[in-house]
Amino acid sequence: SFTYDGKPSAALLKSWSVTRAATKLDEHRTRHVLSYVDGATGLVARCTAIEYSDLPAVEWVLEFHNTGGANTPILEQIMPLDLRTTHSSPQCWVLHYSLGDGNSAASFAPVEKPLKPDDPAPVVLAPKGGRSSDGCLPFFNLQADDGGQAIALGWSGQWEARFRQVDQTTLTMQAGQQLTHLSLRSGETIRTPRVLMAFWQGKDSLRGNNLLRR
């Protein structure tokens, strides 16, 4: 998701032209390309995803390209990961992550953060000073009662991730580059952090950690 000229993408994309393409890269990988084009300004929002058939995983990256002749309106709040997941029964979600290198005895320590539906604000994780592993690593394992999702962000700068349990059955997660607020010149292209998500089943969160390593 993103905001463009002060309007949320959920409303804008309904009127933009869209193309979809799928290409089989090899025995285990299929590339999917989803492109939206704003006819008024020439902005192209393109998502390129790799689907794996041998592992329950998918990775993707979002790009923006200005094909128009003038600078675009302001592009901000870019979240290549913006997901709402709902279970049929109440869940007790736990967010597993690791501290980054803070030059202390706690460097790289594992953290388990239970999520609660009555928390008024999301859990927000981000590194310090634009250093992607200073204070927190960009790897997460979100555990529900019967499995979960292991998530990695590919970004060498200032990323941000947000997790919030909305109610007993619903959870939202968002991630991207922190503090995006920019305009693209004619012909200019930018990309977002790459997202990898792996889906695991069972009661042991180590399943997600090991799957992410694979």
Side-chain angles (χ1 to χ4, degrees):
S1 66
F2 56 92
T3 299
Y4 187 51
D5 198 16
K7 304 177 182 64
S9 58
L12 292 173
L13 295 181
K14 297 176 182 178
S15 62
W16 291 13
S17 61
V18 58
T19 58
R20 296 176 174 87
T23 305
K24 194 168 183 60
L25 301 178
D26 54 38
E27 181 182 1
H28 299 300
R29 298 181 303 152
T30 301
R31 180 178 61 211
H32 301 271
V33 180
L34 177 66
S35 298
Y36 285 92
V37 181
D38 176 22
T41 67
L43 180 69
V44 178
R46 177 180 298 109
C47 179
T48 302
I50 305 297
E51 175 191 7
Y52 294 88
S53 62
D54 57 337
L55 290 169
V58 61
E59 64 174 286
W60 68 92
V61 64
L62 192 62
E63 295 176 300
F64 293 91
H65 177 56
N66 182 9
T67 64
N71 292 354
T72 67
I74 293 296
L75 186 63
E76 56 188 339
Q77 299 176 18
I78 304 171
M79 295 290 175
L81 172 62
D82 191 341
L83 181 65
R84 183 183 183 94
T85 178
T86 300
H87 283 250
S88 58
S89 59
Q91 300 290 310
C92 295
W93 275 285
V94 178
L95 178 62
H96 301 265
Y97 63 97
S98 176
L99 300 180
D101 185 5
N103 194 26
S104 73
S107 292
F108 306 110
V111 179
E112 293 185 5
K113 174 67 176 178
L115 302 180
K116 301 177 182 179
D118 55 352
D119 285 346
V123 174
V124 180
L125 302 176
K128 301 175 183 177
R131 299 176 294 273
S132 63
S133 298
D134 186 348
C136 186
L137 296 181
F139 306 99
F140 320 99
N141 191 357
L142 192 59
Q143 180 182 14
D145 291 344
D146 56 355
Q149 300 93 37
I151 305 162
L153 298 180
W155 195 245
S156 58
Q158 188 69 18
W159 54 266
E160 179 181 288
R162 294 171 172 261
F163 302 88
R164 180 170 180 261
Q165 186 170 347
V166 179
D167 53 38
Q168 295 289 344
T169 61
T170 306
L171 180 135
T172 61
M173 60 185 87
Q174 294 179 313
Q177 180 185 352
Q178 196 178 56
L179 305 177
T180 49
H181 181 88
L182 55 97
S183 176
L184 292 181
R185 296 180 178 180
S186 179
E188 193 172 17
T189 301
I190 60 169
R191 56 156 286 189
T192 69
R194 183 179 298 273
V195 182
L196 169 66
M197 182 174 285
F199 302 86
W200 58 274
Q201 294 180 333
K203 302 290 186 179
D204 189 350
S205 64
L206 288 178
R207 289 176 175 265
N209 294 354
N210 293 333
L211 180 60
L212 185 60
R213 292 188 182 98
R214 290 182 63 191

